Amino acid sequence: MRRRVDLGYDEADFERLRELGAATFENPAEIATLVDQYGYLDEWKLNYQIRSVRGSLHAKRITCIDSAVFTYGLLELLFPDVKRRLLAIHRRDPAKDEEMGHCVTLYWNDQGKVGSFSKSSFVGLGHRDAVFNNEHEVAASYAKAYIKMAFQPLYFGITTLEEVAPDVDWRFDRGPINVLSERLITCYEYAFMLPS
């Protein structure tokens, strides 16, 4: 695997990336195949812990926010010239009167189109090919998926880890980095328009 930038990853990290097939990646969209090798951590509510890039790299199962941090970091490492952002989305489940968030990594291809990497246990909340004109269209595609599941999409925000968590070691921390949840909530700035 050709190392594009030296960010502090160690040989065990690179060995794991080779095991996952990242050594052959030629374009950012292939990161989706790496994420798909991980199971989804369904019981995340029992012991909520957001993992760093390294933490997810060496795990077997991850959550949506783990995947977002992970793929954000992989883009930085493997494709440092690719524009990347986090998209945080909030929705309400009227049946349970419960609100929940979802987080994905956005990336831009050479033609300026936007796609996303996502991990979810819900059909419809997975990756998005880089065919969207902007990040708002990607957010709308997730909102439409929520509506099909009888959820109400509420609002969303777009940020970077550098902006929202400059003091958090999101690359290498071995412990939970749960403060990211609170930080991402502060980036919500757009509301979805719901049909009446």
Side-chain angles (χ1 to χ4, degrees), residues 76-91:
E76 176 190 50
L77 176 66
L78 302 174
F79 302 98
D81 297 328
V82 171
K83 181 179 174 180
R84 67 194 194 285
R85 299 283 184 271
L86 292 182
L87 167 65
I89 310 164
H90 207 74
R91 56 92 172 159

Side-chain angles (χ1 to χ4, degrees), residues 103-121:
C103 191
V104 305
T105 298
L106 301 171
Y107 69 97
W108 279 252
N109 69 13
D110 292 341
Q111 293 77 42
K113 297 292 187 179
V114 189
S116 68
F117 302 118
S118 176
K119 191 73 179 175
S120 179
S121 59

Side-chain angles (χ1 to χ4, degrees), residues 20-22 24-37 71 74-75 78-79 82-84 105-111 113-118 126-131:
L20 294 167
T24 63
F25 290 175
E26 294 184 11
N27 68 70
E30 292 176 281
I31 289 174
T33 63
L34 189 148
V35 174
D36 292 342
Q37 295 178 56
T71 55
L74 289 179
L75 283 170
L78 302 174
F79 302 98
V82 171
K83 181 179 174 180
R84 67 194 194 285
T105 298
L106 301 171
Y107 69 97
W108 279 252
N109 69 13
D110 292 341
Q111 293 77 42
K113 297 292 187 179
V114 189
S116 68
F117 302 118
S118 176
H127 311 298
R128 299 292 190 263
D129 291 334
V131 297

Side-chain angles (χ1 to χ4, degrees), residues 37-157:
Q37 295 178 56
Y38 287 79
Y40 185 78
L41 186 62
D42 290 304
E43 65 277 6
W44 61 268
K45 288 183 186 178
L46 299 176
N47 186 20
Y48 185 65
Q49 294 187 21
I50 300 173
R51 294 184 177 105
S52 66
V53 176
R54 177 174 280 158
S56 290
L57 180 61
H58 296 283
K60 300 254 188 247
R61 298 183 303 146
I62 57 178
T63 63
C64 73
I65 195 166
D66 292 335
S67 172
V69 172
F70 184 37
T71 55
Y72 188 90
L74 289 179
L75 283 170
E76 176 190 50
L77 176 66
L78 302 174
F79 302 98
D81 297 328
V82 171
K83 181 179 174 180
R84 67 194 194 285
R85 299 283 184 271
L86 292 182
L87 167 65
I89 310 164
H90 207 74
R91 56 92 172 159
R92 182 175 175 277
D93 180 352
K96 296 180 181 178
D97 194 27
E98 175 185 70
E99 290 189 14
M100 191 77 55
H102 184 53
C103 191
V104 305
T105 298
L106 301 171
Y107 69 97
W108 279 252
N109 69 13
D110 292 341
Q111 293 77 42
K113 297 292 187 179
V114 189
S116 68
F117 302 118
S118 176
K119 191 73 179 175
S120 179
S121 59
F122 291 105
V123 174
L125 295 185
H127 311 298
R128 299 292 190 263
D129 291 334
V131 297
F132 297 90
N133 292 315
N134 56 54
E135 54 268 55
H136 294 256
E137 287 184 5
V138 178
S141 78
Y142 285 107
K144 290 175 186 172
Y146 276 140
I147 291 168
K148 285 183 182 177
M149 291 183 277
F151 295 153
Q152 297 172 332
L154 300 175
Y155 30 82
F156 69 97

